[in-house]
Amino acid sequence: MATDAKEIIICKDVHKWFDRLHVLKGINLTVKQGEVLVIFGPSGSGKSTFIRTINRLEEHQRGTIIVDGMELTNDIRNIHAIRSEIGMVFQSFNLFPHLTVMQNITLAPMWVRHWSQEKAEKIAMDLLARVGIPEQAHKYPAQLSGGQQQRVAIARALAMQPKIMLFDEPTSALDPEMIKEVLDVMLELAKSGMTMLCVTHEMGFARAAADRMVFFDGGQLIEEGTPAQIFSHPQHERTKLFLSQILH
Amino acid sequence: MTASADTLGPPRTSVGVLGWLKKNLFSTWYNTLLTFVTLWFLWVVGSGLISWSLTSARWDVIAANWRLFMVGPFPPDQVWRVWVVVLFVSALFGVSGGVWGGTVRTFTMSLAGGYATLAVIALFVFPVSENLVWLLANLVIVLAAYFLARGRKGLQLWLVGAWLLGFILTILLLQGFVGSTWLPEVSTTQWGGLLLTFMLAIVSIVVSFPLGVLLALGRRSKMPAVKVFSILYIELVRGVPLVTILYMTQIMLPLFLPGELRIDNVLRAIAGMTMFTAAYMAENVRGGLQAIPTGQIEAAQALGLNNALVTLFIVLPQALRMVIPAIVGLFIALFKDTTLATIVALLELLGVARSVLAQPEYLGLQTEVYIFVAAVFFLFSYAMSFASYRLEEALGVGKR
Ligand SMILES: Nc1ncnc2c1ncn2[C@@H]1O[C@H](COP(=O)(O)OP(=O)(O)O)[C@@H](O)[C@H]1O
Ligand SMILES: [Mg+2]
């Protein structure tokens, strides 16, 4: 990542409430193009909520979020435009069970980008090869293992040729033996220069791929730094405590 | 039980016919008693029914009024039009069975079997008649269409179009045109019997399905006007018996519509049944909509799909699949409820039955006539229920 890369996500003083519950309490964060960011922190600290505000699956109530030069407002056209530039991978895969793997991947390119079926399918096959499961194209999600399903979900997001990828605990629902196959795909993606925001507790991945790590607690961004800084010299007590808990 | 029980064969008495009998029918003394009482009851009722229907039943009432039962007061010299429609449907069934295979093939073959059976019966009952010729023609068409189309997957889209087109052509052909010489108008008041039953049911089903889906979506809409209208409609219609709605559409529709837009009895009955079914349809579909996990919708939105596309490609297909059994149940109920149209003076199958029984020479033959009507309804209702069962299985492929 070049230091003079443009700022693709700018969050200023972002607040979010669920009814009376104050979940995000003034988040300030800027992400540069090509940067790989790992977000970690205790359960319920607002990590999911935060990355979901970036493609407006959640609406923020105060502050500004600017993605790729567009401010997120209630303007529906802006929202669709921004969503088609951002891929998202969920903890529970959320593949469409009634569609084949191929249809899962080509749906949005054909109906949002208006590509021809041939073009969409060709790109889908390339992506399936890239995530290592080209032979599963015509199966249904239920016929795949969890690791394979999550790799399809990554291919589905990449098919839109997004500028940013969001990952919300992509390996938390997986059996241990399948975690690596998904992390390998993410690692390769990080190396290819994709801008990535990953909520994850896979510290091996963070060490290998992250440019920067941010620690969330109680709806606030407590600390940020390179993996080296975070792992060897965490500044805050809460960061130290949390790291000591997850690293044993 | 021994430690190595898994390597032993099951005990003798629990397998095979004897094992099944012992386990299910004679496991305890009261179970045994129940079995014998049931058998005795079945014997008393069943043997009486069978011997009656073979010896003293006067089935000639069915044969003599066959045309009435099938088409009611449809002009006899125009009945060929109905047969042409049946031929067309046979051809479509044949092609569908060939193209789709599976359950559809079972239906195609059952249809062919039905024609063959009817043809044999016709041979004994009315030896020389056009019915026999038409039945044989249908048998040939079904089988020919099936064998010609077998395995041609490319025809699928055309077929869907052909079914929709067939629906419109059927109505045009049966209705005819005012002033035409070889397709004179047969007004819907002259439709009757099984033909009318089918038309009432099929038109109401085809129209109420999209209406019900729209109402279900409307009920969840973010636009208050749409939402309130949908809720009012659904709750009002569900709070009123179908009979009342049929009376209301008979009497009230003409009051609202301008004089030149007089619509006939049959259309009014269809309007009533459609309105009624659409409300129940909406509630069934809503159940399916609620069962879609939010993760599905979020995943689709995150890909940049707008709300219409999310509904069309992600929500509806999954929701409808979940409620297929409920929807088919609704359609079966509607099919049987077409009999209520007799009370607004339409001569559908039950109406014909009653008018036949009103003739002096058939006095006292209620049993024969109503058994026949019941059998016809059972046959088609069972076919629908069988189809829905198989459809559910076939669609289970992608479920998780
Ligand atoms: N849809 C929602 N409605 C109400 N409260 C929510 C909702 N989603 C999350 N929350 C609450 O917001 C807080 C932050 O949740 P989340 O962002 O999921 O945390 P994390 O991903 O860090 O575990 C939690 O207290 C959670 O209970
Ligand atoms: Mg979370």
Side-chain angles (χ1 to χ4, degrees), chain A residues 18-19 21 23-24 41-50 52 58 168-169 199 216:
Chain A
F18 284 117
D19 292 323
L21 185 68
V23 179
L24 297 180
S43 173
S45 58
K47 308 179 296 292
S48 298
T49 307
F50 173 65
R52 288 157 58 88
E58 303 289 357
D168 191 0
E169 306 207 30
V199 175
F216 262 63

PDB file of all heavy atoms in Angstrom, chain A residues 18-19 21 23-24 41-50 52 58 168-169 199 216, ligand 1:
ATOM      1  N   PHE A  18     -29.386   1.846  18.710  1.00  0.00           N
ATOM      2  CA  PHE A  18     -30.519   0.938  18.505  1.00  0.00           C
ATOM      3  C   PHE A  18     -31.534   1.305  19.581  1.00  0.00           C
ATOM      4  O   PHE A  18     -31.308   1.014  20.754  1.00  0.00           O
ATOM      5  CB  PHE A  18     -30.107  -0.528  18.674  1.00  0.00           C
ATOM      6  CG  PHE A  18     -29.350  -1.082  17.493  1.00  0.00           C
ATOM      7  CD1 PHE A  18     -28.037  -1.506  17.634  1.00  0.00           C
ATOM      8  CD2 PHE A  18     -29.950  -1.186  16.246  1.00  0.00           C
ATOM      9  CE1 PHE A  18     -27.338  -2.020  16.552  1.00  0.00           C
ATOM     10  CE2 PHE A  18     -29.255  -1.708  15.169  1.00  0.00           C
ATOM     11  CZ  PHE A  18     -27.946  -2.118  15.322  1.00  0.00           C
ATOM     12  N   ASP A  19     -32.622   1.947  19.175  1.00  0.00           N
ATOM     13  CA  ASP A  19     -33.546   2.535  20.152  1.00  0.00           C
ATOM     14  C   ASP A  19     -32.770   3.437  21.102  1.00  0.00           C
ATOM     15  O   ASP A  19     -32.206   4.417  20.672  1.00  0.00           O
ATOM     16  CB  ASP A  19     -34.338   1.458  20.901  1.00  0.00           C
ATOM     17  CG  ASP A  19     -35.312   0.749  19.976  1.00  0.00           C
ATOM     18  OD1 ASP A  19     -35.879   1.425  19.097  1.00  0.00           O
ATOM     19  OD2 ASP A  19     -35.482  -0.465  20.124  1.00  0.00           O
ATOM     20  N   LEU A  21     -30.199   2.340  22.936  1.00  0.00           N
ATOM     21  CA  LEU A  21     -28.871   1.752  23.173  1.00  0.00           C
ATOM     22  C   LEU A  21     -27.817   2.419  22.280  1.00  0.00           C
ATOM     23  O   LEU A  21     -27.897   2.345  21.056  1.00  0.00           O
ATOM     24  CB  LEU A  21     -28.944   0.250  22.893  1.00  0.00           C
ATOM     25  CG  LEU A  21     -27.707  -0.580  23.197  1.00  0.00           C
ATOM     26  CD1 LEU A  21     -27.461  -0.634  24.702  1.00  0.00           C
ATOM     27  CD2 LEU A  21     -27.875  -1.990  22.639  1.00  0.00           C
ATOM     28  N   VAL A  23     -24.669   2.398  20.516  1.00  0.00           N
ATOM     29  CA  VAL A  23     -23.811   1.283  20.108  1.00  0.00           C
ATOM     30  C   VAL A  23     -22.494   1.764  19.496  1.00  0.00           C
ATOM     31  O   VAL A  23     -21.441   1.181  19.717  1.00  0.00           O
ATOM     32  CB  VAL A  23     -24.558   0.382  19.104  1.00  0.00           C
ATOM     33  CG1 VAL A  23     -23.676  -0.761  18.665  1.00  0.00           C
ATOM     34  CG2 VAL A  23     -25.830  -0.158  19.731  1.00  0.00           C
ATOM     35  N   LEU A  24     -22.530   2.845  18.717  1.00  0.00           N
ATOM     36  CA  LEU A  24     -21.298   3.438  18.203  1.00  0.00           C
ATOM     37  C   LEU A  24     -21.202   4.848  18.784  1.00  0.00           C
ATOM     38  O   LEU A  24     -22.113   5.653  18.628  1.00  0.00           O
ATOM     39  CB  LEU A  24     -21.314   3.497  16.669  1.00  0.00           C
ATOM     40  CG  LEU A  24     -21.371   2.152  15.945  1.00  0.00           C
ATOM     41  CD1 LEU A  24     -21.393   2.365  14.434  1.00  0.00           C
ATOM     42  CD2 LEU A  24     -20.195   1.258  16.333  1.00  0.00           C
ATOM     43  N   GLY A  41     -12.003  -6.997  18.905  1.00  0.00           N
ATOM     44  CA  GLY A  41     -12.530  -6.468  20.150  1.00  0.00           C
ATOM     45  C   GLY A  41     -13.565  -7.421  20.707  1.00  0.00           C
ATOM     46  O   GLY A  41     -14.001  -8.332  20.009  1.00  0.00           O
ATOM     47  N   PRO A  42     -13.986  -7.193  21.953  1.00  0.00           N
ATOM     48  CA  PRO A  42     -14.911  -8.127  22.589  1.00  0.00           C
ATOM     49  C   PRO A  42     -16.269  -8.166  21.899  1.00  0.00           C
ATOM     50  O   PRO A  42     -16.650  -7.230  21.188  1.00  0.00           O
ATOM     51  CB  PRO A  42     -15.051  -7.604  24.026  1.00  0.00           C
ATOM     52  CG  PRO A  42     -14.345  -6.314  24.081  1.00  0.00           C
ATOM     53  CD  PRO A  42     -13.543  -6.129  22.853  1.00  0.00           C
ATOM     54  N   SER A  43     -16.965  -9.249  22.136  1.00  0.00           N
ATOM     55  CA  SER A  43     -18.300  -9.421  21.581  1.00  0.00           C
ATOM     56  C   SER A  43     -19.223  -8.310  22.081  1.00  0.00           C
ATOM     57  O   SER A  43     -19.178  -7.946  23.250  1.00  0.00           O
ATOM     58  CB  SER A  43     -18.820 -10.788  22.005  1.00  0.00           C
ATOM     59  OG  SER A  43     -20.146 -10.927  21.635  1.00  0.00           O
ATOM     60  N   GLY A  44     -20.016  -7.750  21.194  1.00  0.00           N
ATOM     61  CA  GLY A  44     -20.948  -6.699  21.581  1.00  0.00           C
ATOM     62  C   GLY A  44     -20.335  -5.317  21.592  1.00  0.00           C
ATOM     63  O   GLY A  44     -20.972  -4.348  21.996  1.00  0.00           O
ATOM     64  N   SER A  45     -19.076  -5.196  21.114  1.00  0.00           N
ATOM     65  CA  SER A  45     -18.419  -3.898  21.166  1.00  0.00           C
ATOM     66  C   SER A  45     -18.792  -3.010  19.980  1.00  0.00           C
ATOM     67  O   SER A  45     -18.373  -1.866  19.922  1.00  0.00           O
ATOM     68  CB  SER A  45     -16.902  -4.093  21.214  1.00  0.00           C
ATOM     69  OG  SER A  45     -16.473  -4.823  20.094  1.00  0.00           O
ATOM     70  N   GLY A  46     -19.569  -3.541  19.023  1.00  0.00           N
ATOM     71  CA  GLY A  46     -20.027  -2.717  17.915  1.00  0.00           C
ATOM     72  C   GLY A  46     -19.251  -2.900  16.618  1.00  0.00           C
ATOM     73  O   GLY A  46     -19.425  -2.120  15.685  1.00  0.00           O
ATOM     74  N   LYS A  47     -18.426  -3.957  16.528  1.00  0.00           N
ATOM     75  CA  LYS A  47     -17.640  -4.176  15.311  1.00  0.00           C
ATOM     76  C   LYS A  47     -18.530  -4.431  14.105  1.00  0.00           C
ATOM     77  O   LYS A  47     -18.367  -3.811  13.052  1.00  0.00           O
ATOM     78  CB  LYS A  47     -16.692  -5.384  15.501  1.00  0.00           C
ATOM     79  CG  LYS A  47     -15.828  -5.324  16.734  1.00  0.00           C
ATOM     80  CD  LYS A  47     -14.952  -6.558  16.869  1.00  0.00           C
ATOM     81  CE  LYS A  47     -15.707  -7.854  17.058  1.00  0.00           C
ATOM     82  NZ  LYS A  47     -16.422  -7.989  18.342  1.00  0.00           N
ATOM     83  N   SER A  48     -19.479  -5.361  14.274  1.00  0.00           N
ATOM     84  CA  SER A  48     -20.378  -5.675  13.146  1.00  0.00           C
ATOM     85  C   SER A  48     -21.176  -4.444  12.765  1.00  0.00           C
ATOM     86  O   SER A  48     -21.270  -4.093  11.589  1.00  0.00           O
ATOM     87  CB  SER A  48     -21.348  -6.791  13.521  1.00  0.00           C
ATOM     88  OG  SER A  48     -20.655  -7.964  13.809  1.00  0.00           O
ATOM     89  N   THR A  49     -21.735  -3.797  13.756  1.00  0.00           N
ATOM     90  CA  THR A  49     -22.541  -2.611  13.480  1.00  0.00           C
ATOM     91  C   THR A  49     -21.721  -1.596  12.699  1.00  0.00           C
ATOM     92  O   THR A  49     -22.196  -1.022  11.718  1.00  0.00           O
ATOM     93  CB  THR A  49     -23.042  -1.989  14.790  1.00  0.00           C
ATOM     94  OG1 THR A  49     -23.686  -3.002  15.554  1.00  0.00           O
ATOM     95  CG2 THR A  49     -24.006  -0.858  14.528  1.00  0.00           C
ATOM     96  N   PHE A  50     -20.463  -1.411  13.096  1.00  0.00           N
ATOM     97  CA  PHE A  50     -19.645  -0.420  12.416  1.00  0.00           C
ATOM     98  C   PHE A  50     -19.428  -0.791  10.953  1.00  0.00           C
ATOM     99  O   PHE A  50     -19.658   0.037  10.064  1.00  0.00           O
ATOM    100  CB  PHE A  50     -18.294  -0.244  13.117  1.00  0.00           C
ATOM    101  CG  PHE A  50     -17.365   0.638  12.349  1.00  0.00           C
ATOM    102  CD1 PHE A  50     -17.672   1.986  12.160  1.00  0.00           C
ATOM    103  CD2 PHE A  50     -16.210   0.132  11.765  1.00  0.00           C
ATOM    104  CE1 PHE A  50     -16.843   2.805  11.416  1.00  0.00           C
ATOM    105  CE2 PHE A  50     -15.382   0.945  11.017  1.00  0.00           C
ATOM    106  CZ  PHE A  50     -15.698   2.283  10.844  1.00  0.00           C
ATOM    107  N   ARG A  52     -21.140  -2.612   9.105  1.00  0.00           N
ATOM    108  CA  ARG A  52     -22.410  -2.599   8.377  1.00  0.00           C
ATOM    109  C   ARG A  52     -22.889  -1.178   8.076  1.00  0.00           C
ATOM    110  O   ARG A  52     -23.710  -0.984   7.172  1.00  0.00           O
ATOM    111  CB  ARG A  52     -23.476  -3.378   9.148  1.00  0.00           C
ATOM    112  CG  ARG A  52     -23.227  -4.901   9.114  1.00  0.00           C
ATOM    113  CD  ARG A  52     -23.884  -5.604  10.278  1.00  0.00           C
ATOM    114  NE  ARG A  52     -25.315  -5.363  10.303  1.00  0.00           N
ATOM    115  CZ  ARG A  52     -26.212  -6.119   9.653  1.00  0.00           C
ATOM    116  NH1 ARG A  52     -25.803  -7.159   8.968  1.00  0.00           N
ATOM    117  NH2 ARG A  52     -27.478  -5.832   9.722  1.00  0.00           N
ATOM    118  N   GLU A  58     -26.726  -0.835   8.077  1.00  0.00           N
ATOM    119  CA  GLU A  58     -27.203  -0.081   9.233  1.00  0.00           C
ATOM    120  C   GLU A  58     -27.047   1.404   8.916  1.00  0.00           C
ATOM    121  O   GLU A  58     -26.066   1.814   8.309  1.00  0.00           O
ATOM    122  CB  GLU A  58     -26.383  -0.394  10.498  1.00  0.00           C
ATOM    123  CG  GLU A  58     -26.333  -1.852  10.895  1.00  0.00           C
ATOM    124  CD  GLU A  58     -27.654  -2.378  11.433  1.00  0.00           C
ATOM    125  OE1 GLU A  58     -28.619  -1.586  11.546  1.00  0.00           O
ATOM    126  OE2 GLU A  58     -27.713  -3.591  11.708  1.00  0.00           O
ATOM    127  N   ASP A 168     -17.175  -9.910   7.940  1.00  0.00           N
ATOM    128  CA  ASP A 168     -17.634  -9.912   9.330  1.00  0.00           C
ATOM    129  C   ASP A 168     -17.467 -11.306   9.923  1.00  0.00           C
ATOM    130  O   ASP A 168     -18.307 -12.168   9.725  1.00  0.00           O
ATOM    131  CB  ASP A 168     -19.091  -9.458   9.411  1.00  0.00           C
ATOM    132  CG  ASP A 168     -19.524  -9.201  10.858  1.00  0.00           C
ATOM    133  OD1 ASP A 168     -18.686  -9.381  11.758  1.00  0.00           O
ATOM    134  OD2 ASP A 168     -20.692  -8.832  11.064  1.00  0.00           O
ATOM    135  N   GLU A 169     -16.389 -11.516  10.632  1.00  0.00           N
ATOM    136  CA  GLU A 169     -16.065 -12.816  11.237  1.00  0.00           C
ATOM    137  C   GLU A 169     -16.293 -13.967  10.268  1.00  0.00           C
ATOM    138  O   GLU A 169     -17.083 -14.875  10.539  1.00  0.00           O
ATOM    139  CB  GLU A 169     -16.883 -13.023  12.516  1.00  0.00           C
ATOM    140  CG  GLU A 169     -16.704 -11.864  13.481  1.00  0.00           C
ATOM    141  CD  GLU A 169     -16.924 -12.281  14.922  1.00  0.00           C
ATOM    142  OE1 GLU A 169     -16.648 -13.456  15.240  1.00  0.00           O
ATOM    143  OE2 GLU A 169     -17.342 -11.431  15.722  1.00  0.00           O
ATOM    144  N   VAL A 199     -13.389  -7.951  10.236  1.00  0.00           N
ATOM    145  CA  VAL A 199     -13.609  -8.208  11.656  1.00  0.00           C
ATOM    146  C   VAL A 199     -13.220  -9.657  11.873  1.00  0.00           C
ATOM    147  O   VAL A 199     -13.817 -10.555  11.282  1.00  0.00           O
ATOM    148  CB  VAL A 199     -15.088  -8.004  12.027  1.00  0.00           C
ATOM    149  CG1 VAL A 199     -15.311  -8.395  13.481  1.00  0.00           C
ATOM    150  CG2 VAL A 199     -15.506  -6.581  11.781  1.00  0.00           C
ATOM    151  N   PHE A 216     -11.748  -2.321  19.101  1.00  0.00           N
ATOM    152  CA  PHE A 216     -13.033  -1.753  19.486  1.00  0.00           C
ATOM    153  C   PHE A 216     -13.386  -2.225  20.879  1.00  0.00           C
ATOM    154  O   PHE A 216     -13.208  -3.387  21.213  1.00  0.00           O
ATOM    155  CB  PHE A 216     -14.141  -2.266  18.547  1.00  0.00           C
ATOM    156  CG  PHE A 216     -14.491  -1.334  17.442  1.00  0.00           C
ATOM    157  CD1 PHE A 216     -13.550  -0.986  16.478  1.00  0.00           C
ATOM    158  CD2 PHE A 216     -15.773  -0.817  17.335  1.00  0.00           C
ATOM    159  CE1 PHE A 216     -13.880  -0.149  15.440  1.00  0.00           C
ATOM    160  CE2 PHE A 216     -16.119   0.024  16.298  1.00  0.00           C
ATOM    161  CZ  PHE A 216     -15.178   0.369  15.344  1.00  0.00           C
TER     162      PHE A 216
HETATM  163  N1  LIG C   1     -30.506  -5.057  15.218  1.00  0.00           N
HETATM  164  C1  LIG C   1     -30.180  -4.746  16.496  1.00  0.00           C
HETATM  165  N2  LIG C   1     -31.117  -4.276  17.346  1.00  0.00           N
HETATM  166  C2  LIG C   1     -30.813  -3.936  18.616  1.00  0.00           C
HETATM  167  N3  LIG C   1     -29.585  -4.057  19.147  1.00  0.00           N
HETATM  168  C3  LIG C   1     -28.598  -4.523  18.362  1.00  0.00           C
HETATM  169  C4  LIG C   1     -28.846  -4.903  16.997  1.00  0.00           C
HETATM  170  N4  LIG C   1     -27.696  -5.343  16.459  1.00  0.00           N
HETATM  171  C5  LIG C   1     -26.768  -5.240  17.438  1.00  0.00           C
HETATM  172  N5  LIG C   1     -27.291  -4.741  18.578  1.00  0.00           N
HETATM  173  C6  LIG C   1     -26.571  -4.478  19.817  1.00  0.00           C
HETATM  174  O1  LIG C   1     -25.528  -3.590  19.511  1.00  0.00           O
HETATM  175  C7  LIG C   1     -24.369  -3.913  20.218  1.00  0.00           C
HETATM  176  C8  LIG C   1     -23.206  -4.132  19.261  1.00  0.00           C
HETATM  177  O2  LIG C   1     -23.462  -5.276  18.492  1.00  0.00           O
HETATM  178  P1  LIG C   1     -22.481  -5.795  17.353  1.00  0.00           P
HETATM  179  O3  LIG C   1     -22.158  -4.671  16.468  1.00  0.00           O
HETATM  180  O4  LIG C   1     -23.114  -6.983  16.740  1.00  0.00           O
HETATM  181  O5  LIG C   1     -21.196  -6.225  18.179  1.00  0.00           O
HETATM  182  P2  LIG C   1     -19.968  -7.145  17.754  1.00  0.00           P
HETATM  183  O6  LIG C   1     -20.072  -7.418  16.298  1.00  0.00           O
HETATM  184  O7  LIG C   1     -18.782  -6.349  18.136  1.00  0.00           O
HETATM  185  O8  LIG C   1     -20.078  -8.384  18.587  1.00  0.00           O
HETATM  186  C9  LIG C   1     -24.700  -5.145  21.046  1.00  0.00           C
HETATM  187  O9  LIG C   1     -25.016  -4.704  22.349  1.00  0.00           O
HETATM  188  C10 LIG C   1     -25.903  -5.697  20.376  1.00  0.00           C
HETATM  189  O10 LIG C   1     -26.735  -6.346  21.313  1.00  0.00           O
END
